Amino acid sequence: MTDIAQQQPADSNPELPTQYAPAEVEGKLYERWVERGYFEADAKSDKPPFTIVIPPPNVTGALHLGHAFQVTLMDALTRRKRMQGYETLWLPGMDHAGIATQNKVEQQLAEEGKSRQDIGREAFVEKTWQWKEEYGGRILGQLRRLGAGLDWSRERFTMDEGLSKAVQTIFKKLYDDELIYRAERIINWCPRCLTAISDIEVDYQDDDGELVSLKYGEGDETLVVATTRVETMLGDTAIAVHPDDARYAHLIGKRIKLPLTDRTIPVVADAHVDPEFGTGAVKVTPAHDPNDFAIGQRHGLEMITVMDERAIITVPGPFQGLDRFEARSAIVEAMREQGRVVAEKRPYTHSVGHCSRCRTTVEPRLSLQWWVKVETLAKAAGDTVRDGRVALHPKEMEKRYFDWVDNLNDWCISRQLWWGHRIPIWYGPEGQVVCVGPDEQPPTGEGWTQDEDVLDTWFSSGLWPFSTLGWPEQTPDLAKFYSTDVLLTGHDIIFFWVVRMMMFAQYAMDDQVPFKTVAFTGLVRDENGKKMSKSFGNVVDPIDWMDAYGSDAVRFTLANGANPGADVPIGEDWVKASRNFANKIWNATRFALMNGATVEGELPHAEQMSANDRWILSRLNAVVAEADAYYDDFQFAKLADTLYHFAWDEVFDWYVELSKTTFFAGGEPAKVSARVLGEVLDKLLRLLHPIVPFVTETLWTSLTGKESLVIADWPVDSGFRDTAAEQEIALVQQVITEVRRFRSDQGLQPGQKVPAELDLTGTALAPHEASIRQVLRLQPAGEDFHATASLPIAGCKVALDLSGTIDVEAERKRLTKDLGAAEKEKADANKKLGNEAFLAKAPDNVVDKIRARLTKADADIERITAQIEGLPKA
């Protein structure tokens, strides 16, 4: 990479087009950055490292606003660190996304009239690799479109050779340390995907179902239970009541007949039962409910599975072969015929789990699976935050983190899929179980078979911060760039991905944390704060916005809404506003270049500068300091807002406007201001570059003639401050603002010229008269000047001659009407506030609103009266 001091002349022509056209700039500019290796990190560098690994998008994924949001913020962080002199690595890659990818390929097969079973495992896996090569990774190209400065030379995939070795290595280590085991437990089962899924892959939503109360037993030995899953009663093996519930004390230990079957089941006492809820008696189906499973274990109950993997009833009898929902209706009808339906509530809205991939209702199911014992791993992950080795930002996220990690259940890691890392366990003909490491040969011979399951996708992505750097090999990348510095991710995946990485890193990396800071973002929502959903019709393709307004506009809009941990509303009008901001930067820089703005030579001494020059340099350095503080605190919204207002308001609307008279006059003052303006734009474009890289790169290279902003130095606060100049320009701004307001109140157009006398004697404003007149369109007073309005402002006086510029009588009538309305508003407010009965009954907020109306009415009366008095006399 080229050092900033040795940069070559820019490729772009200093003659900028009259308008900025993002589509003509962005793609070519990004490819130039990549070709020149700006984003490639050097493990041999002696620069301090800064590392971010991208949360790997699914190989099936396409860029959505959530991706664009997080990628924009990560890119901003890494671009700034690169400019600050760090050896910056932002490592890209993709997740194989087991279920999602397998579903895609199965859909493709279904279009051919085939299933994966038809072609077999080996052919299916080969076809999935083919699908990945042909269709996967579309999102990576879209990240380029967004401007993501990723080190593409280090791109990784969770099933590439190196990461697969890492997965097998840690599985073997966990197994040998007895932290991986196989057991029958209740898991979330998807009857469509035909696999176990983790808790975090279950989306809960309120569904309309039914709550049916059923009578078990006869006579004095009758119990009523309520359930939303009637079909599971075929697998009931007990009724549970609270041990202190006197209503059922005579039944505890007895057996009662289970309706519709030839079985009897016991009544057991268990403290888990809430005697105040419902009837205080609950049916216990240990093989189909996690709470019931725990009760079953405590009481040694039989565990009867009543459905197969597709949720079809398997219990011999009239319901065998029915789908679970068909069986639900049939069993209710059969119980009704026996007079055992005590009550039915329809619809009964309750929370139901759905597979996050296919939306099928999840079925809790007893299943033989592989598990990670998480107790010691989770404690270590919690300790890293408690002792400060890992900082969560914002700090309020710590409570959510500890609530999860301190109560973590053992992790089901096996999935009944064919696409993924196959579990490295072999079973022998004599019941042998052998775990095979990456450098070991699996056992061979008749009767040896490998476990059919693959590992949970989160198992491999949990290794991401160090497996992507070459672990388990001790690579130069691992030595240089681990631990990573920042993980920037949504608060919605704190539980499954963040915690998994924390556990695995502590275990595999000699207690080294995977990242020093976790910066949580919110979720992107629509402009009304509503969650984006296809069903709501409010999902936005960020590519469409990039096509229409440019990538910089999308990036700036996203950054401008990024308050730590808070959700981000976004609408198209905001992207348009950001496009306008890019255009404003473009036009202001063109003006600067046309007026000789330069970065050549040393800055003039303070005594050579005007107050205007000293003021903008003082503000520039203050903004540099603010920007650094906001970056370090991940306050992207405040950062974007500060840069926006400094650029638009202070630099473009004030400094440039106030400097026009200097530039037009020419001479030495114009040269000084041109150098100052060049300095301000140089540093401003550097400050903006991490958020809006394309437009700033184009402008900066034209301004400076240097190679690229990507490898330029980050601006530093020189310490220059000039309080006196800031106060002086504040007075200038006050005068201009007050006169503008008066002109507007009088109905004058902004460009309309007005004769005026300015008495600036004895104030600091005297050197600024030409600028004030230029900005306010104030002409010198001629011989026929007649002051019709006099405005005392900031110790000076501005006299205006409005004769001939407005219809005085029409304006007087309008203002008199407005004055009457304000006086009526004041009278109404005073009447209510003087009514004791009203004040005694009215809520405080209502009274406060009336008082506010009175205050506004008083201000309006004062303002309008002054406007009437300022009108020319007849």
Side-chain angles (χ1 to χ4, degrees), residues 597-644:
T598 180
V599 296
E600 297 298 324
E602 296 294 324
L603 271 176
H605 294 297
E607 58 269 20
Q608 298 174 275
M609 300 182 197
S610 67
N612 195 32
D613 295 331
R614 287 181 280 113
W615 162 70
I616 199 63
L617 287 176
S618 181
R619 288 292 304 128
L620 172 65
N621 281 289
V623 167
V624 169
E626 288 178 44
D628 281 330
Y630 288 141
Y631 261 118
D632 292 341
D633 199 34
F634 305 100
Q635 297 279 0
F636 293 99
K638 292 181 179 179
L639 168 71
D641 187 66
T642 295
L643 296 179
Y644 176 92

Side-chain angles (χ1 to χ4, degrees), residues 216-218 221-223 236-239 250-258 262-268 299-302 304:
Y216 286 23
E218 301 290 348
E221 296 183 355
T222 296
L223 286 163
D236 287 356
T237 55
I239 298 289
H250 67 292
L251 293 177
I252 295 173
K254 292 188 176 181
R255 300 185 71 88
I256 62 175
K257 181 137 185 338
L258 179 64
D262 57 2
R263 294 190 292 114
T264 61
I265 57 176
V267 178
V268 299
H299 297 276
L301 300 177
E302 186 180 3
I304 301 175

